[in-house]
């Protein structure tokens, strides 16, 4: 087992804002693989342990969402395994390392004919090691569906575990995506299922991803502290420009099991973040720390909020729906807010509806044409 090793976050973003066709998906993947080559070559010079883990941001290789799941499904959603993951597996074998390109838009015809998932994948020399499908899509501007929505419609959790922790030679890994970081339950479930290294991918948009809010850093450090786990947290770095209507905050960082930031990028834009992880040190900390041994001190029997508050209701009807648009996703989110807060305060709450911005405007000058 490799107990000390280097981890790198390539902070990249979708080049030109999106990948409107499969050819551009391939170009984005080529670019990400170039970054893998560069990182392995550069950081291996500085570290005798070498680089064993690479983690990319949310949707950085595959681009931003479209206005509908059907369009995503038809234009550039990918299947796992597929030629794209095979390309990454080749890189993992070349360098004997583990690679997560971040998250991608996944289609699964066996699961549902038209829906897509926002899926984080990890590959190694052995092949595809896990796929984590985002439990908490950010439905104001995301049309991916949560596997939670499909539980009542026969979603196969035996084949596709909701929290698929994997054992590797560098430790036990799994991850979460962007909005998931605001839900302590996601990381806690992973930790109690054995996770030692959180693989985090985000595309936090301004102002949430940088000071004074800085939610990605605040939340992910908290997830590592309260679960005594390393975190390799990659952010998308798309600075504002006429070509990018959705700038992201960057903010990639790596922290240890006590929340100490070992390395961090200073803002948006393309960069690399590197740090050394030590699994033996983590396991010593977990089994010897007498002061703040959070996982072993969990008084789970004291909490009943998951029984008294049912939370977000699964949307089983989506399994048979012909489409899921941004407007429909936003409306479902508003309905769930009304359901929760009306019960919480004991009076009817009405949530104002908003119209999400369209995704049909040209992302780049060279894509501009007759907008009708």
């Amino acid at each position: 087992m490799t107990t000390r090793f280097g981890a790198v976050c390539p902070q990249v973003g979708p080049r030109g804002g999106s990948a409107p066709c499969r050819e551009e998906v391939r170009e984005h993947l080529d670019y990400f693989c170039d970054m893998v080559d560069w990182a392995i070559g550069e950081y291996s010079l500085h570290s005798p342990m070498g680089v064993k883990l690479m983690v990319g941001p949310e949707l950085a290789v595959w681009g931003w969402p479209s206005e509908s799941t059907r369009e995503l499904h038809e234009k550039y959603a990918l299947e796992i395994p597929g030629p794209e993951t095979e390309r990454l597996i080749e890189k993992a074998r070349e360098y004997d390392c583990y690679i997560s390109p971040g998250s991608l838009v996944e289609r699964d015809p066996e699961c549902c004919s038209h829906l897509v998932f926002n899926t984080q994948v990890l590959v190694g020399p052995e092949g595809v090691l896990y796929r984590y499908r985002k439990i908490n899509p950010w439905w104001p501007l995301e049309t991916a569906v949560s596997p939670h929505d499909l539980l009542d419609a026969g979603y196969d959790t035996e084949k596709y575990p909701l929290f698929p922790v994997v054992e590797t030679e560098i430790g036990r890994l799994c991850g979460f995506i962007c909005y998931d970081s605001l839900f302590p339950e996601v990381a806690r479930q992973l930790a109690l299922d054995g996770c030692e290294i959180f693989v985090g991918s985000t595309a936090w948009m301004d102002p949430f991803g940088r000071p004074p809010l800085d939610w990605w850093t605040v939340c992910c450090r908290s997830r590592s502290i309260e679960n005594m786990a390393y975190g390799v947290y990659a952010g998308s770095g798309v600075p504002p420009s006429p070509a990018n209507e959705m700038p992201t905050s960057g903010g990639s960082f790596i922290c240890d099991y006590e929340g100490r930031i070992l390395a961090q990028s200073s803002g948006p834009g393309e960069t690399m973040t590197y740090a050394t992880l030590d699994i033996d040190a983590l396991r010593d900390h977990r089994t010897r720390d007498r002061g703040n041994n959070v996982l072993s001190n969990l008084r789970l029997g004291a909490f009943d909020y998951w029984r008294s508050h049912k939370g977000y209701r699964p949307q089983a009807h989506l399994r048979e729906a012909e489409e899921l648009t941004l407007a429909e996703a936003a409306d479902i989110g508003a309905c769930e807010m009304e359901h929760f807060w009306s019960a919480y305060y004991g009076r009817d709450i009405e949530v104002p509806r908003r119209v999400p911005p369209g995704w049909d405007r040209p992302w780049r000058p060279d894509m501009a044409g007759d907008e009708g």
Side-chain angles (χ1 to χ4, degrees), residues 24 37 123 149 154 156 231 278 284 359 363-364:
E24 292 207 19
D37 293 336
V123 307
D149 288 318
D156 189 348
D278 187 331
D284 282 345
W359 294 92
W363 285 99
R364 303 191 307 262

Side-chain angles (χ1 to χ4, degrees), residues 334 337-338 341-342 347-353:
M337 288 176 63
E338 290 171 343
W341 290 114
S342 294
R347 59 184 175 86
D348 289 341
I349 301 291
E350 184 176 352
V351 174
R353 283 359 185 218

Side-chain angles (χ1 to χ4, degrees), residues 134-339:
K134 191 175 184 180
I135 295 294
N136 298 287
W138 198 57
W139 269 10
L141 286 177
E142 190 173 346
T143 53
V145 70
S146 169
H148 171 259
D149 288 318
L150 306 179
L151 291 178
D152 294 340
Y155 186 85
D156 189 348
T157 56
E158 289 290 326
K159 184 173 183 180
Y160 304 116
L162 299 184
F163 304 99
V165 178
V166 63
E167 178 102 37
T168 74
E169 66 162 314
I170 61 172
R172 300 171 181 173
L173 290 78
C174 193
F176 50 79
I177 304 169
C178 200
Y179 191 40
D180 282 329
S181 65
L182 270 67
F183 297 84
E185 294 82 0
V186 174
R188 177 56 48 82
Q189 184 68 60
L190 291 173
L192 291 177
D193 286 350
C195 190
E196 298 169 315
I197 303 173
F198 291 144
V199 177
S201 303
T202 192
W204 274 119
M205 295 175 289
D206 291 341
F208 307 108
R210 64 173 66 190
L213 294 176
D214 209 10
W215 287 2
W216 181 240
T217 304
V218 170
C219 292
C220 289
R221 287 186 70 188
S222 298
R223 301 297 81 84
S224 283
I225 293 168
E226 66 201 13
N227 292 293
M228 310 171 77
Y230 276 113
V232 183
Y233 301 121
S236 173
V238 181
S241 78
N244 296 309
E245 297 182 13
M246 303 292 285
T248 53
S249 303
S252 301
F253 73 101
I254 300 171
C255 72
D256 73 3
Y257 40 81
E258 292 188 286
R260 282 182 291 258
I261 293 180
L262 306 177
Q264 186 173 29
S265 71
S266 59
E270 294 192 348
T271 186
M272 298 277 184
T273 302
Y274 168 89
T276 299
L277 278 58
D278 187 331
I279 288 299
D280 280 348
L282 175 144
R283 291 175 179 175
D284 282 345
H285 173 72
R286 282 183 164 187
T287 56
R288 296 174 182 272
D289 185 341
R290 298 292 301 277
N292 300 299
N293 209 288
V294 183
L295 287 180
S296 68
N297 289 333
L298 281 173
R299 299 179 184 270
L300 295 175
F303 308 106
D304 67 351
Y305 70 89
W306 58 275
R307 289 191 294 266
S308 57
H309 294 281
K310 297 304 182 184
Y312 211 98
R313 295 170 295 184
Q315 307 294 316
H317 66 279
L318 292 177
R319 181 72 177 264
E320 305 302 329
E322 294 184 0
E323 178 61 292
L324 174 64
T325 65
L326 283 177
E328 290 166 341
D331 187 64
I332 291 172
C335 288
E336 290 303 305
M337 288 176 63
E338 290 171 343
H339 173 72

Side-chain angles (χ1 to χ4, degrees), residues 19 21-33 61-62 76 78 83-84 87:
C21 66
R22 293 185 185 277
E23 178 58 35
E24 292 207 19
V25 169
R26 285 191 290 270
E27 291 176 6
H28 289 192
L29 181 58
D30 289 343
Y31 184 69
F32 182 82
C33 288
V61 176
W62 281 265
Y76 65 99
L78 307 176
E84 294 80 14
R87 175 83 189 282

